[in-house]
Amino acid sequence: MGALFYVGPAYETAMSDIRRLYPNLNVSHNLITDTRFVQCTDWMDTSDDFIAQYYYRNEDRWQRANLTLFLNTVADCDGHGSATLATNLRKFVISSSPAGDIENKVKWPTRIETGSAGKAALVSATKLFAALLLHFNWTTVSIVCDAYRNPLYDTVAQIMQATLSRLLRSNVSLTRVDGFSPQTDYNFILNEVNKQTRGVDTIDYLFVVVLYIVFGSTLRKFLVHLCFRVTRNPLLGNFHWRYGDKYDEVAKEAYRTVLIAESDPDLDVPPAGSEARRLREQWRQASLERYNFSYAASEPNTNLFPAYTMPLMVAQVVAEMVGANLTELLQDGRHIARRFYNRTFRLRTGNVSFDQYGSSAGVDGIVEQYDEAGNLTKVVHCAVGTVVPLAPVRIIEIKAVTWVGGVWPPPNRPPCGFDGMDPDCQPKRTLAVETLHPPALPTALRFLLIR
């Protein structure tokens, strides 16, 4: 229900534009929601049944239509309930929720991804990670994922595991934990990962790369958390050290070891004076007037533009097929999906491009760090480029990273090994050995054996 306040106005504008641009199409839009489900986690447990019941209760309506399609944003939690139902019905489905194997067209013949959380966008984000790790010569990585609350996070972890393994040319492991369970022993998990690699972890809803660094022979451990923030939203985690409790100062120091990687939020707020900026402000005002819901003009909202662009792109494809006398093909979503492959749509909000699998491209990223004053500052810009072909990511260091360990960047392999037990780093001890020689050689020799 909460997502409606964000995306409702954008959907309404899309329907209005479709009626204006394609008057020969008679389009109706059905929003499935319920006031009982306030947050994503409330909706997830029952969404599959809820959507299926709605569809089959109204099946006579869908049979009278030339085309029935499923559309959702990443705000609909994982979105896989509607995607699976649509696929089994051979209906076209487009969403901003990612499928880890969107390239498998036997499994997903009718599915298209768009928005900042699609497979191509996540591959793009993984390229950002790989480029950043290689830039600092870090190639040993392990992933720990909070995988038992939202399937989306496990999907993201699997995509990153496969892509990082290929790009880093190393074996990236994946461990799943339950971040909400009081029985989860984080010390054990961290110690185990520390023995193997540098690691990747999750904190709350945060997707994190944990780099365990050991300096010298003192066995001091410094953790560099390289975090992937899928989208800026308080529902997806508190990314600030300030909680207003007695641990704030300790957390402030700990958060200085955190590097947060995300898509450039400036790209989510269009330039002043642009049509996209005007539409965004129009939708923000509509949320306030219709739903008594307000958010700041500068607040990133990655669900807005997909809610507008998805219906418009589908309408353009359907209009083309109708104009080509291919109306009989509309019942099979595969024919619609194929018209998205390797294509760019030019809309009021800007261009939307898809790769050969029907997944939209990612955007540039940034890396931020909390400075000594506790303020989040941008330290790296990552120019991702296109997804197809896989263009190299350009790493541009904007500001020097202030590392609490003193040496930046930390080495790929800690000087004393990942467990701090390399022999050369153990405390040196002296052992006195006295040897007495025969009378012919009366001199007593004392040797100091160093080990």
Side-chain angles (χ1 to χ4, degrees):
M1 185 67 181
L4 176 63
F5 308 144
Y6 276 108
V7 301
Y11 279 134
E12 293 168 6
T13 301
M15 293 300 106
S16 176
D17 282 0
I18 289 173
R19 296 184 187 100
R20 176 176 55 85
L21 296 171
Y22 308 103
N24 60 323
L25 300 182
N26 183 12
V27 180
S28 63
H29 183 219
N30 301 273
L31 285 171
I32 305 176
T33 187
D34 194 304
T35 54
R36 292 176 298 166
F37 309 120
V38 178
Q39 295 186 4
C40 180
T41 50
D42 302 329
W43 170 250
M44 284 181 57
D45 290 340
T46 189
S47 62
D48 291 10
D49 291 340
F50 196 87
I51 294 170
Q53 289 173 11
Y54 179 83
Y55 178 85
Y56 286 110
R57 277 200 309 265
N58 298 278
E59 193 168 12
D60 59 324
R61 294 171 56 188
W62 321 134
Q63 291 175 349
R64 291 195 300 268
N66 296 106
L67 166 66
T68 300
L69 63 93
F70 291 74
L71 182 152
N72 62 61
T73 68
V74 76
D76 302 313
C77 300
D78 60 341
H80 292 299
S82 59
T84 302
L85 176 62
T87 301
N88 291 333
L89 294 169
R90 286 289 181 94
K91 303 297 184 183
F92 177 74
V93 56
I94 181 170
S95 74
S96 57
S97 299
D101 51 356
I102 187 66
E103 67 278 5
N104 184 349
K105 291 308 172 183
V106 174
K107 181 178 180 180
W108 302 115
T110 67
R111 188 171 183 174
I112 297 295
E113 294 178 341
T114 187
S116 60
K119 171 68 179 291
L122 289 175
V123 170
S124 182
T126 310
K127 283 177 54 187
L128 181 156
F129 266 110
L132 197 64
L133 292 168
L134 290 172
H135 180 76
F136 293 117
N137 194 32
W138 299 329
T139 57
T140 311
V141 178
S142 178
I143 299 176
V144 181
C145 175
D146 185 355
Y148 295 101
R149 286 301 181 272
N150 190 334
L152 171 62
Y153 304 132
D154 192 38
T155 299
V156 171
Q158 291 181 60
I159 294 172
M160 286 202 162
Q161 178 192 25
T163 310
L164 277 177
S165 295
R166 177 172 54 82
L167 295 178
L168 297 179
R169 297 181 179 179
S170 65
N171 183 24
V172 176
S173 63
L174 171 60
T175 302
R176 295 170 175 86
V177 300
D178 187 346
F180 285 77
S181 173
Q183 279 74 45
T184 299
D185 188 344
Y186 281 106
N187 287 328
F188 173 79
I189 295 169
L190 295 178
N191 287 333
E192 288 301 306
V193 173
N194 191 29
K195 294 175 184 177
Q196 305 171 38
T197 60
R198 300 195 171 281
V200 177
D201 189 22
T202 64
I203 298 178
D204 294 331
Y205 293 95
L206 199 61
F207 194 68
V208 183
V209 178
V210 183
L211 305 174
Y212 296 91
I213 312 300
V214 181
F215 285 93
S217 61
T218 62
L219 298 182
R220 290 177 295 143
K221 295 184 179 181
F222 293 89
L223 288 79
V224 179
H225 299 80
L226 179 54
C227 320
F228 174 40
R229 175 152 53 178
V230 178
T231 181
R232 289 193 179 189
N233 190 307
L235 292 177
L236 297 178
N238 188 338
F239 291 81
H240 203 280
W241 53 267
R242 185 180 291 112
Y243 279 73
D245 58 25
K246 63 181 180 180
Y247 301 109
D248 274 359
E249 288 305 312
V250 175
K252 178 182 176 181
E253 186 66 17
Y255 268 57
R256 290 189 58 208
T257 68
V258 175
L259 300 179
I260 299 179
E262 61 179 330
S263 59
D264 192 339
D266 292 339
L267 299 176
D268 192 52
V269 180
S274 65
E275 176 69 0
R277 182 66 169 267
R278 188 190 67 78
L279 280 173
R280 194 180 192 278
E281 182 59 23
Q282 173 185 316
W283 296 332
R284 191 174 72 90
Q285 291 299 321
S287 292
L288 178 62
E289 295 169 3
R290 298 173 195 175
Y291 306 112
N292 195 30
F293 176 79
S294 178
Y295 56 92
S298 59
E299 179 181 333
N301 184 348
T302 55
N303 299 309
L304 268 179
F305 288 116
Y308 172 79
T309 60
M310 288 191 291
L312 262 296
M313 292 185 292
V314 174
Q316 183 175 333
V317 168
V318 172
E320 292 170 354
M321 296 178 70
V322 171
N325 294 320
L326 299 175
T327 307
E328 71 280 0
L329 299 181
L330 293 175
Q331 289 290 347
D332 189 337
R334 294 176 300 175
H335 298 291
I336 304 173
R338 290 167 184 162
R339 289 177 174 261
F340 281 77
Y341 300 166
N342 293 315
R343 179 168 180 174
T344 296
F345 292 85
R346 292 170 175 79
L347 307 171
R348 293 171 66 187
T349 52
N351 295 344
V352 181
S353 298
F354 293 88
D355 64 14
Q356 73 269 40
Y357 304 116
S359 187
S360 58
V363 296
D364 286 1
I366 62 171
V367 178
E368 302 157 295
Q369 182 197 28
Y370 283 98
D371 59 22
E372 294 182 5
N375 299 315
L376 197 59
T377 58
K378 188 186 300 184
V379 293
V380 174
H381 178 84
C382 307
V384 173
T386 59
V387 173
V388 181
L390 284 175
V393 177
R394 291 186 297 113
I395 302 297
I396 305 168
E397 297 189 43
I398 300 173
K399 182 180 178 181
V401 173
T402 305
W403 177 235
V404 294
V407 178
W408 182 264
N412 178 58
R413 185 184 188 279
C416 295
F418 292 107
D419 59 359
M421 299 301 293
D422 278 11
D424 291 343
C425 296
Q426 300 308 303
K428 299 184 185 301
R429 295 180 297 169
T430 61
L431 176 64
V433 178
E434 190 171 274
T435 303
L436 296 181
H437 288 262
L441 296 172
T443 305
L445 301 179
R446 186 181 298 273
F447 295 91
L448 293 180
L449 301 184
I450 309 297
R451 67 175 184 181

